[in-house]
Amino acid sequence: MPESTSQASILAVGSGCNPGSSDPTNGGDKQMQHFVSVDKQNIFRLPVGWEYLVDTPGGPLNQANFKYYDNLVQSCIKLGVHCIIDIHNYARWNGQIIGQGGPTNADFANTWSQLATAYKGDANVIMGIMNEPHEVEIGPWAETVQAAVTAIRNAGATTQMILLPGNDWTSSGASVSDGSAAALLKVTNPSGDTKGLIYDFHNYFDSGSGTSTGCISNKISDGFTPP
């Protein structure tokens, strides 16, 4: 994340997976304004369902639905903060794993190509390839991530940060033991370098993976060893 980052805020924008729903953003623009002005937050993750963005894997963006999502993204961009485009599908389309019996890597990459084309002109947009993959084969999943990275860069988003998600809900504690770190280390930009490619780790400080109010541990040793 940027060196100036002191805090990050995750903003949920509704389920987003029902193509028949109305505006799913639920006043997110006003929430972000509050968090920026009052709490000085400077990163917002904007989840959206893949099934909400496109009607079929590999198909064009559903323009009616994308308009709602883009309104939220633009309201984030206008605040001058970092905005994470986050496909919130756990590596799946309707329960089927991408590149592992479900939609193809090319289908997924096509969606990212369209999103990157839309946001390639704004340096504050971060591409969050996928929220919390789980129970995937990490080797093939790294190939899926590579396909998305290549599509994003080839669409013209050559400087924005891209978040690379591993297995086990992107758990920081499991990233080495489950092979995610090693597999994602092989992901590169089309040029062969890794500039702007960031490991995506999640670490919950409560007893219920973010659902409980009590903080039980700083978990500094969960996947990381202090120097």
Side-chain angles (χ1 to χ4, degrees):
M1 291 302 176
E3 291 182 2
S4 60
T5 298
S6 59
Q7 302 182 71
S9 175
I10 298 175
L11 174 67
V13 296
S15 65
C17 291
N18 178 6
S21 66
S22 58
D23 183 355
T25 57
N26 297 324
D29 55 341
K30 294 181 176 58
Q31 293 180 47
M32 287 187 290
Q33 290 173 19
H34 168 81
F35 287 126
V36 170
S37 63
V38 176
D39 298 321
K40 310 306 178 185
Q41 303 285 359
N42 56 12
I43 299 177
F44 293 87
R45 190 162 66 116
L46 310 178
V48 64
W50 190 16
E51 296 91 343
Y52 183 82
L53 289 174
V54 297
D55 297 324
T56 58
L61 293 176
N62 180 308
Q63 290 302 313
N65 291 345
F66 179 64
K67 177 182 177 181
Y68 285 126
Y69 184 66
D70 183 54
N71 285 342
L72 183 68
V73 175
Q74 295 303 325
S75 65
C76 180
I77 290 172
K78 289 177 182 177
L79 293 172
V81 297
H82 281 81
C83 316
I84 302 175
I85 309 299
D86 167 46
I87 297 184
H88 211 79
N89 276 69
Y90 310 95
R92 288 154 171 79
W93 170 281
N94 286 333
Q96 301 299 308
I97 299 174
I98 304 164
Q100 300 180 40
T104 66
N105 290 346
D107 290 334
F108 187 54
N110 177 270
T111 298
W112 267 115
S113 179
Q114 295 178 74
L115 292 171
T117 298
Y119 299 116
K120 63 184 179 182
D122 199 292
N124 278 3
V125 169
I126 300 171
M127 311 294 179
I129 287 178
M130 178 59 66
N131 177 69
E132 296 191 343
H134 62 91
E135 298 172 281
V136 301
E137 292 184 44
I138 192 58
W141 174 248
E143 295 175 4
T144 302
V145 172
Q146 179 66 74
V149 168
T150 300
I152 290 168
R153 296 305 193 210
N154 286 344
T158 57
T159 60
Q160 285 95 339
M161 289 182 285
I162 302 177
L163 306 184
L164 311 182
N167 203 1
D168 289 315
W169 314 90
T170 62
S171 165
S172 61
S175 61
V176 174
S177 61
D178 69 11
S180 294
L184 294 176
L185 190 63
K186 300 175 183 178
V187 176
T188 67
N189 293 310
S191 61
D193 64 28
T194 57
K195 185 176 181 179
L197 305 184
I198 312 294
Y199 280 117
D200 189 1
F201 292 133
H202 289 189
N203 203 348
Y204 296 99
F205 301 148
D206 70 324
S207 60
S209 297
T211 62
S212 303
T213 57
C215 179
I216 61 172
S217 170
N218 63 18
K219 294 194 175 181
I220 194 170
S221 63
D222 189 3
F224 300 96
T225 301

